Amino acid sequence: MIEEMSSSASAAVDEFSLRFSKQAGMIYPAKNPDEVASIINNLIQTRGKGDSCCSPDIALSYNGSRYDISRKVNGTISYEKLEKNPREVMGLIDVGITMAEYGIAQTGTIVDVSFTDEHRLLSSLTRVHIAILEKGKILGKLSKLSPIMGNLLRPESEKKPSITFIGGPSRTSDIELKSVLGVHGPHEVHVVLI
């Protein structure tokens, strides 16, 4: 039974990676939290053209310990500064780093759950979005997400999240059907898988 679950999980990761890549998203496998931070810092340096900001709620469980990725990322603008003055600061941020809650293999999308506007803006208004996704949170089918989202959106919940499905860079087409990336959102979306 364990082998079946393991091969099923591996198949979901492979399918997610293939579908996300076909939508012009970039995938980077990482073996441990230090490698996650190293990949992110390299992407900030090579793909970024301005300031970067990391969501503060990025913690990974690894070998029985919690590992705070946000402390290892070379963000040039603090999340606290973004919270205090979002209108001014958001225009300065070129690279946003967040933690994806889930991935959907069937659609090749990541699921971003945001309880604040500032967190949502890091994944939707920056030119480059880098998301960390744990392989164990990749669901095979979209239908597997329904009960999870239903629980988040139950009527008695005080604070309702904004839920965004991200399948690679933002794209649109003009009247001649010429596809353009990054018009209504990130021009690049990178997912670091651990």
Side-chain angles (χ1 to χ4, degrees), residues 78-111:
S78 73
Y79 190 80
E80 291 78 21
K81 187 174 180 180
L82 174 62
E83 284 180 311
K84 287 179 186 172
N85 203 348
R87 287 182 186 222
E88 258 182 56
V89 175
M90 197 59 222
L92 303 173
I93 300 172
D94 184 55
V95 180
I97 302 105
T98 65
M99 181 84 177
E101 290 296 319
Y102 298 97
I104 309 295
Q106 178 185 36
T107 58
T109 54
I110 57 175
V111 181

Side-chain angles (χ1 to χ4, degrees), residues 87-135:
R87 287 182 186 222
E88 258 182 56
V89 175
M90 197 59 222
L92 303 173
I93 300 172
D94 184 55
V95 180
I97 302 105
T98 65
M99 181 84 177
E101 290 296 319
Y102 298 97
I104 309 295
Q106 178 185 36
T107 58
T109 54
I110 57 175
V111 181
D112 186 49
V113 178
S114 304
F115 285 92
T116 67
D117 287 340
E118 293 79 22
H119 181 270
R120 185 177 51 80
L121 294 174
L122 285 178
S123 66
S124 61
L125 282 187
T126 55
R127 188 183 62 81
V128 177
H129 175 213
I130 303 170
I132 301 161
L133 176 61
E134 294 175 283
K135 290 179 181 179

Side-chain angles (χ1 to χ4, degrees), residues 7 21 27 32 50 58 63 116 123 125 136 139 159 165 171 193:
S7 66
S21 296
I27 301 282
N32 57 55
I58 300 178
N63 286 342
T116 67
S123 66
L125 282 187
L139 307 172
K159 198 166 187 183
F165 291 78
R171 66 181 72 235
L193 280 176

